[in-house]
Short mmCIF file of all heavy atoms in Angstrom, two decimals:
data_model
loop_
_atom_site.label_atom_id
_atom_site.label_comp_id
_atom_site.label_asym_id
_atom_site.label_seq_id
_atom_site.Cartn_x
_atom_site.Cartn_y
_atom_site.Cartn_z
N ALA A 1 212.57 117.75 173.74
CA ALA A 1 212.10 116.75 174.66
C ALA A 1 210.96 115.95 174.08
O ALA A 1 210.85 114.78 174.32
CB ALA A 1 211.59 117.44 175.88
N LEU A 2 210.10 116.62 173.31
CA LEU A 2 208.90 115.96 172.66
C LEU A 2 209.47 114.91 171.67
O LEU A 2 208.95 113.76 171.47
CB LEU A 2 208.02 116.91 172.00
CG LEU A 2 207.16 117.73 172.96
CD1 LEU A 2 206.58 118.89 172.19
CD2 LEU A 2 206.09 116.94 173.65
N ARG A 3 210.53 115.34 170.80
CA ARG A 3 211.05 114.43 169.86
C ARG A 3 211.75 113.25 170.59
O ARG A 3 211.68 112.12 170.13
CB ARG A 3 212.08 115.12 169.04
CG ARG A 3 211.39 116.22 168.02
CD ARG A 3 212.30 116.86 167.12
NE ARG A 3 212.81 115.92 166.16
CZ ARG A 3 214.03 115.71 165.77
NH1 ARG A 3 215.04 116.46 166.32
NH2 ARG A 3 214.35 114.88 164.79
N ASP A 4 212.50 113.48 171.66
CA ASP A 4 213.12 112.44 172.36
C ASP A 4 211.97 111.33 172.95
O ASP A 4 212.25 110.08 172.91
CB ASP A 4 213.86 112.95 173.58
CG ASP A 4 215.13 113.70 173.16
OD1 ASP A 4 215.51 113.54 171.97
OD2 ASP A 4 215.79 114.39 173.99
N CYS A 5 210.96 111.88 173.43
CA CYS A 5 209.80 111.14 173.97
C CYS A 5 209.17 110.28 172.83
O CYS A 5 209.00 109.03 173.02
CB CYS A 5 208.74 111.94 174.59
SG CYS A 5 207.35 111.12 175.31
N ARG A 6 209.08 110.87 171.71
CA ARG A 6 208.53 110.11 170.52
C ARG A 6 209.41 109.03 170.13
O ARG A 6 209.09 107.95 169.86
CB ARG A 6 208.29 111.07 169.37
CG ARG A 6 207.86 110.37 168.07
CD ARG A 6 207.54 111.38 167.02
NE ARG A 6 208.75 112.13 166.47
CZ ARG A 6 208.79 112.95 165.56
NH1 ARG A 6 207.71 113.27 165.00
NH2 ARG A 6 210.02 113.52 165.22
N LYS A 7 210.75 109.37 170.03
CA LYS A 7 211.80 108.34 169.77
C LYS A 7 211.80 107.13 170.68
O LYS A 7 211.82 105.98 170.23
CB LYS A 7 213.11 108.97 169.53
CG LYS A 7 214.29 108.09 169.32
CD LYS A 7 214.25 107.57 167.82
CE LYS A 7 215.59 106.91 167.47
NZ LYS A 7 215.28 105.53 167.09
N ARG A 8 211.65 107.46 171.84
CA ARG A 8 211.76 106.35 172.98
C ARG A 8 210.49 105.56 172.76
O ARG A 8 210.62 104.28 172.70
CB ARG A 8 211.73 107.01 174.31
CG ARG A 8 211.71 105.92 175.49
CD ARG A 8 211.68 106.67 176.78
NE ARG A 8 210.68 107.61 177.04
CZ ARG A 8 209.45 107.39 177.30
NH1 ARG A 8 209.05 106.15 177.52
NH2 ARG A 8 208.53 108.41 177.60
N LEU A 9 209.27 106.04 172.61
CA LEU A 9 208.10 105.31 172.37
C LEU A 9 208.09 104.53 171.10
O LEU A 9 207.74 103.39 171.06
CB LEU A 9 206.84 106.24 172.46
CG LEU A 9 206.56 106.82 173.76
CD1 LEU A 9 205.59 107.89 173.64
CD2 LEU A 9 206.16 105.77 174.75
N ALA A 10 208.77 105.11 170.07
CA ALA A 10 208.80 104.39 168.75
C ALA A 10 209.76 103.22 168.92
O ALA A 10 209.43 102.11 168.49
CB ALA A 10 209.44 105.35 167.71
N ASP A 11 210.82 103.38 169.58
CA ASP A 11 211.77 102.31 169.88
C ASP A 11 211.10 101.22 170.65
O ASP A 11 211.27 100.01 170.40
CB ASP A 11 213.01 102.71 170.51
CG ASP A 11 213.93 103.64 169.59
OD1 ASP A 11 213.64 103.65 168.34
OD2 ASP A 11 214.87 104.26 170.06
N GLU A 12 210.44 101.57 171.70
CA GLU A 12 209.68 100.53 172.50
C GLU A 12 208.68 99.76 171.77
O GLU A 12 208.43 98.60 172.04
CB GLU A 12 208.98 101.27 173.72
CG GLU A 12 210.05 101.78 174.84
CD GLU A 12 209.43 102.56 175.82
OE1 GLU A 12 208.13 102.63 175.84
OE2 GLU A 12 210.09 103.15 176.76
N ASN A 13 208.10 100.41 170.80
CA ASN A 13 206.99 99.77 170.02
C ASN A 13 207.45 99.17 168.67
O ASN A 13 206.61 98.72 167.97
CB ASN A 13 205.77 100.80 169.90
CG ASN A 13 205.14 101.03 171.12
OD1 ASN A 13 204.24 100.24 171.71
ND2 ASN A 13 205.40 102.15 171.88
N ASN A 14 208.75 99.34 168.47
CA ASN A 14 209.29 98.86 167.09
C ASN A 14 208.55 99.45 165.88
O ASN A 14 208.26 98.68 165.01
CB ASN A 14 209.28 97.31 166.99
CG ASN A 14 210.19 96.72 168.16
OD1 ASN A 14 211.41 97.11 168.28
ND2 ASN A 14 209.72 95.74 168.89
N VAL A 15 208.40 100.85 166.02
CA VAL A 15 207.71 101.44 164.78
C VAL A 15 208.47 102.76 164.51
O VAL A 15 209.24 103.23 165.41
CB VAL A 15 206.23 101.83 165.10
CG1 VAL A 15 205.37 100.61 165.36
CG2 VAL A 15 206.07 102.83 166.37
N PRO A 16 208.42 103.34 163.34
CA PRO A 16 209.08 104.54 163.06
C PRO A 16 208.38 105.69 163.92
O PRO A 16 207.26 105.57 164.25
CB PRO A 16 208.81 104.84 161.58
CG PRO A 16 208.20 103.54 161.05
CD PRO A 16 207.74 102.83 162.15
N PRO A 17 209.24 106.72 164.21
CA PRO A 17 208.63 107.83 165.04
C PRO A 17 207.39 108.50 164.51
O PRO A 17 206.39 108.75 165.35
CB PRO A 17 209.85 108.83 165.13
CG PRO A 17 211.05 107.93 164.94
CD PRO A 17 210.69 106.80 164.07
N TYR A 18 207.20 108.62 163.26
CA TYR A 18 206.04 109.26 162.65
C TYR A 18 204.79 108.38 162.94
O TYR A 18 203.68 109.05 162.92
CB TYR A 18 206.23 109.51 161.19
CG TYR A 18 206.15 108.30 160.31
CD1 TYR A 18 204.95 107.71 159.94
CD2 TYR A 18 207.24 107.59 159.89
CE1 TYR A 18 204.93 106.53 159.06
CE2 TYR A 18 207.33 106.59 159.08
CZ TYR A 18 206.09 105.97 158.71
OH TYR A 18 206.01 104.95 157.88
N VAL A 19 204.89 107.14 163.31
CA VAL A 19 203.79 106.44 163.56
C VAL A 19 203.07 106.84 164.98
O VAL A 19 201.96 106.81 165.21
CB VAL A 19 204.07 104.92 163.65
CG1 VAL A 19 202.85 104.01 164.20
CG2 VAL A 19 204.36 104.38 162.18
N ILE A 20 203.97 107.24 165.90
CA ILE A 20 203.66 107.74 167.14
C ILE A 20 202.87 109.08 166.95
O ILE A 20 201.74 109.17 167.21
CB ILE A 20 204.82 107.84 168.17
CG1 ILE A 20 205.65 106.63 168.33
CG2 ILE A 20 204.36 108.45 169.49
CD1 ILE A 20 204.93 105.52 168.87
N PHE A 21 203.61 110.03 166.43
CA PHE A 21 203.04 111.39 166.10
C PHE A 21 203.88 112.03 165.04
O PHE A 21 205.16 111.83 165.03
CB PHE A 21 202.89 112.47 167.23
CG PHE A 21 201.98 112.03 168.32
CD1 PHE A 21 202.34 111.85 169.71
CD2 PHE A 21 200.60 111.93 168.00
CE1 PHE A 21 201.38 111.64 170.62
CE2 PHE A 21 199.71 111.56 168.98
CZ PHE A 21 200.10 111.43 170.25
N HIS A 22 203.30 112.64 164.04
CA HIS A 22 204.03 113.51 162.95
C HIS A 22 204.61 114.77 163.69
O HIS A 22 204.24 115.26 164.77
CB HIS A 22 203.08 113.82 161.90
CG HIS A 22 202.70 112.77 161.04
ND1 HIS A 22 203.48 112.26 160.03
CD2 HIS A 22 201.59 111.90 161.02
CE1 HIS A 22 202.83 111.22 159.45
NE2 HIS A 22 201.68 110.97 160.03
N ASP A 23 205.56 115.38 162.98
CA ASP A 23 206.20 116.55 163.39
C ASP A 23 205.26 117.66 163.63
O ASP A 23 205.32 118.47 164.59
CB ASP A 23 207.33 117.03 162.43
CG ASP A 23 208.61 116.28 162.51
OD1 ASP A 23 208.84 115.47 163.46
OD2 ASP A 23 209.43 116.61 161.66
N VAL A 24 204.25 117.84 162.77
CA VAL A 24 203.28 118.89 162.86
C VAL A 24 202.50 118.82 164.16
O VAL A 24 202.16 119.69 164.86
CB VAL A 24 202.31 118.97 161.67
CG1 VAL A 24 201.33 117.76 161.57
CG2 VAL A 24 201.50 120.26 161.69
N THR A 25 202.20 117.45 164.61
CA THR A 25 201.58 117.30 165.85
C THR A 25 202.47 117.69 167.07
O THR A 25 201.98 118.41 168.10
CB THR A 25 201.20 115.79 166.07
OG1 THR A 25 200.37 115.41 164.94
CG2 THR A 25 200.46 115.52 167.37
N LEU A 26 203.78 117.35 166.99
CA LEU A 26 204.71 117.74 168.07
C LEU A 26 204.90 119.25 168.12
O LEU A 26 204.94 119.91 169.21
CB LEU A 26 206.06 117.15 167.88
CG LEU A 26 206.13 115.62 167.95
CD1 LEU A 26 207.56 115.15 167.86
CD2 LEU A 26 205.44 115.06 169.21
N LEU A 27 204.94 119.85 166.87
CA LEU A 27 204.96 121.39 166.85
C LEU A 27 203.84 122.12 167.52
O LEU A 27 203.92 123.13 168.25
CB LEU A 27 205.07 121.88 165.52
CG LEU A 27 206.45 121.72 164.81
CD1 LEU A 27 206.49 121.96 163.36
CD2 LEU A 27 207.63 122.51 165.50
N GLN A 28 202.64 121.52 167.32
CA GLN A 28 201.39 122.03 167.86
C GLN A 28 201.52 121.83 169.45
O GLN A 28 201.02 122.80 170.25
CB GLN A 28 200.18 121.53 167.34
CG GLN A 28 198.91 122.21 167.69
CD GLN A 28 197.66 121.71 166.95
OE1 GLN A 28 197.64 120.97 166.08
NE2 GLN A 28 196.54 122.26 167.47
N MET A 29 201.95 120.72 169.83
CA MET A 29 202.12 120.40 171.30
C MET A 29 203.08 121.47 171.93
O MET A 29 202.83 122.05 173.01
CB MET A 29 202.70 119.12 171.54
CG MET A 29 201.68 117.90 171.44
SD MET A 29 202.47 116.38 171.90
CE MET A 29 201.47 115.30 171.03
N ALA A 30 204.17 121.78 171.25
CA ALA A 30 205.11 122.73 171.73
C ALA A 30 204.66 124.03 171.78
O ALA A 30 204.92 124.92 172.62
CB ALA A 30 206.40 122.68 170.83
N THR A 31 203.71 124.38 170.81
CA THR A 31 203.12 125.73 170.85
C THR A 31 201.99 125.94 171.86
O THR A 31 201.91 126.86 172.66
CB THR A 31 202.53 126.02 169.41
OG1 THR A 31 203.59 125.91 168.50
CG2 THR A 31 201.96 127.34 169.32
N ASP A 32 201.00 124.89 171.81
CA ASP A 32 199.88 124.98 172.70
C ASP A 32 200.09 124.58 174.12
O ASP A 32 199.37 124.99 175.08
CB ASP A 32 198.71 124.15 172.16
CG ASP A 32 198.29 124.64 170.83
OD1 ASP A 32 198.65 125.71 170.30
OD2 ASP A 32 197.38 123.99 170.19
N LYS A 33 201.10 123.72 174.32
CA LYS A 33 201.50 123.24 175.73
C LYS A 33 200.30 122.71 176.40
O LYS A 33 199.89 123.18 177.56
CB LYS A 33 202.19 124.31 176.57
CG LYS A 33 203.39 124.73 175.78
CD LYS A 33 204.17 125.86 176.52
CE LYS A 33 205.38 126.26 175.87
NZ LYS A 33 205.74 127.50 175.84
N PRO A 34 199.62 121.67 175.92
CA PRO A 34 198.39 121.16 176.64
C PRO A 34 198.69 120.58 177.95
O PRO A 34 199.87 119.91 178.14
CB PRO A 34 197.97 120.00 175.65
CG PRO A 34 199.12 119.58 174.95
CD PRO A 34 200.01 120.89 174.79
N GLN A 35 197.90 120.77 178.87
CA GLN A 35 198.02 120.32 180.30
C GLN A 35 197.13 119.34 180.74
O GLN A 35 197.12 118.71 181.79
CB GLN A 35 197.89 121.50 181.26
CG GLN A 35 199.03 122.64 181.07
CD GLN A 35 200.44 121.98 181.23
OE1 GLN A 35 200.65 121.50 182.41
NE2 GLN A 35 201.31 122.11 180.24
N THR A 36 196.03 119.00 179.87
CA THR A 36 195.06 117.95 180.20
C THR A 36 194.93 117.07 179.03
O THR A 36 195.24 117.39 177.94
CB THR A 36 193.62 118.59 180.56
OG1 THR A 36 193.23 119.23 179.28
CG2 THR A 36 193.80 119.59 181.63
#
């Protein structure tokens, strides 16, 4: 779901997905599950 969100935002902004966030950032989001 995080990867899909990144891809959608990347497409909307005409940039590669890594410009939005790198994989390591998404992995930390998936692990830490920030709510704020």
Side-chain angles (χ1 to χ4, degrees):
L2 290 167
R3 291 184 72 225
D4 290 345
C5 180
R6 176 179 67 179
K7 176 72 169 123
R8 178 179 54 79
L9 290 169
D11 290 347
E12 288 173 7
N13 290 280
N14 296 312
V15 296
Y18 70 83
V19 170
I20 306 297
F21 289 123
H22 289 278
D23 280 354
V24 69
T25 302
L26 297 187
L27 284 170
Q28 191 174 351
M29 285 182 201
T31 301
D32 294 356
K33 298 177 179 143
Q35 296 297 303
T36 65

